[in-house]
Amino acid sequence: MVGVKGNNGKASSSGKDILVAIAVAAVLIVGLKTFSSGAWHGKAAIDDQQGHHHRQQPMETKSKIKSTKAAAIPLIKEAENVFEDQNLIKFVFSNLDGEEGHDGEVVVKLHPEWAPIGVARIKELTEDSFWGDCRAFRVLPNFVVQLGINGDPKKQKKWKVPIADDPVKASNDRGTVTFAMAGEGTRTTQIFFNKIDNSRLDKEKFAPFGEVISGMEIIDRIYEGYGEKPNQGEIQQTGNAYLAKNYPKMSYIKSARFVSLDKAS
C-alpha cells in the first residue's frame, strides 16, 4: 500500500494514527466483549448457586422441622410419664374375700426419703410388670398381708439378687408397706402390708418404703383363710400352678401400675 505524502514528501502521520486508532478500538471491543461475557458467566454462576441454595432451603427447613418434631416426641413422652415422680402405684387386687370377680384398688405412695434403695427396687419391679398375678400367700389377722413371689418361677429367679438394707426411718404403722426379709441383706421381692400398728418390727430393722393412701379397706378384705400354710419354697419352684391347685380362694394382684396424683383415687 502506497503511503500518503505530505507537502514535504514524507508519509503523513495522520494515516498511521487512523490505523492505530482502528486497531486499538478493535482490541478494546474484543476485550470488552470478553470481560462482559466473563462477568456475565460469573454472575450467572453465582445466581445459579444462590438460586440452588434458595431452592434447597425449603427442604432443609422441612428437615429441621421434622428433626425438631422427632426431638419433641421423647419430651412429650417424658411429660406423660411424669407420674413416676409422684411415686404412686395403683394395685388392683382380685379374689377379695376369697370370691372370684371381687376386685378392689389400693394406692401406695412410695417414700424415697424413707427407704431409697427399697423404693428403687419397687419401681424396677413395677416397670417390669412383676406384680401381676402375685398371690397373697401369707395373711395373718391382726398382723400382715405378705406377697411378692411371682407366679412364673423364671421371672422370680430373675430378681433373686438381694438389695442392700435401708436404715429404718419410718415406723411400721398400720397401712405402711415394708420388704420382708430373713435377716440383714436378704431383701429381694417379698413385701408385706401392715394390717395393724407393728412398730415392734422397727427394732428388727424392717424399713417401710411406702404407705397405703387409698384402699386400706381392700387390704382388710384379702382372703386370710389359709393363714401361712402355703409353702414358700414350693411357690418358688412351681409358681402359681401349686397355689391355684391347693389354695384356689387366695387373693392376688390383678395389675399394678404407676398413676398420676389426679388419677390415684
Side-chain angles (χ1 to χ4, degrees):
M1 179 176 180
V2 179
V4 178
K5 295 182 180 181
N7 294 333
N8 58 7
K10 296 181 180 179
S12 173
S13 62
S14 61
K16 291 182 180 180
D17 293 340
I18 293 173
L19 292 174
V20 171
I22 293 172
V24 171
V27 171
L28 289 174
I29 291 171
V30 172
L32 286 172
K33 285 185 177 180
T34 303
F35 175 80
S36 177
S37 175
W40 183 87
H41 284 296
K43 184 176 184 301
I46 293 172
D47 287 345
D48 182 67
Q49 291 175 357
Q50 291 177 341
H52 179 72
H53 174 72
H54 291 313
R55 286 194 297 273
Q56 292 299 319
Q57 192 171 9
M59 296 291 291
E60 184 180 349
T61 302
K62 289 180 181 179
S63 177
K64 286 182 179 179
I65 293 172
K66 184 177 181 181
S67 176
T68 302
K69 287 182 178 179
I73 291 174
L75 295 178
I76 293 171
K77 289 183 177 179
E78 183 178 347
E80 291 173 350
N81 292 334
V82 71
F83 52 71
E84 294 186 13
D85 294 332
Q86 300 294 331
N87 294 308
L88 297 176
I89 302 175
K90 178 184 286 186
F91 294 90
V92 177
F93 282 87
S94 193
N95 257 30
L96 296 174
D97 308 312
E99 298 291 334
E100 184 178 355
H102 286 200
D103 298 348
E105 297 178 349
V106 176
V107 178
V108 172
K109 180 177 181 180
L110 305 178
H111 285 277
E113 71 278 11
W114 290 358
I117 299 173
V119 166
R121 171 56 66 92
I122 293 299
K123 286 189 174 184
E124 290 174 342
L125 293 170
T126 305
E127 290 168 355
D128 193 39
S129 301
F130 176 86
W131 304 111
D133 215 21
C134 280
R135 311 212 167 193
F137 56 81
R138 184 172 183 244
V139 185
L140 301 177
N142 300 317
F143 188 35
V144 298
V145 170
Q146 187 170 331
L147 48 81
I149 301 178
N150 192 273
D152 180 355
K154 291 182 179 179
K155 193 157 194 173
Q156 180 61 38
K157 187 176 181 180
K158 173 183 175 181
W159 293 98
K160 69 178 182 178
V161 178
I163 59 175
D165 296 328
D166 284 301
V168 178
K169 294 184 178 180
S171 183
N172 284 273
D173 298 330
R174 170 175 163 82
T176 55
V177 195
T178 308
F179 271 99
M181 60 182 187
E184 294 183 8
T186 59
R187 300 189 303 174
T188 55
T189 62
Q190 293 191 40
I191 62 174
F192 61 85
F193 291 80
N194 285 297
K195 297 187 72 174
I196 63 170
D197 180 359
N198 288 317
S199 57
R200 61 185 176 83
L201 297 177
D202 302 349
K203 296 180 180 179
E204 299 179 39
K205 300 184 178 180
F206 287 92
F209 60 79
E211 62 179 326
V212 175
I213 62 171
S214 175
M216 193 59 199
E217 71 280 4
I218 302 301
I219 296 297
D220 291 334
R221 291 177 58 196
I222 290 176
Y223 188 70
E224 55 189 34
Y226 301 127
E228 51 185 342
K229 291 180 181 179
N231 184 289
Q232 293 189 34
E234 190 68 26
I235 304 173
Q236 298 271 1
Q237 293 296 320
T238 59
N240 283 343
Y242 160 71
L243 294 176
K245 179 181 179 181
N246 297 284
Y247 307 99
K249 291 186 177 182
M250 188 174 288
S251 301
Y252 62 90
I253 296 175
K254 190 173 184 179
S255 65
R257 63 184 180 88
F258 293 106
V259 292
S260 58
L261 189 60
D262 61 338
K263 295 181 180 179
S265 58

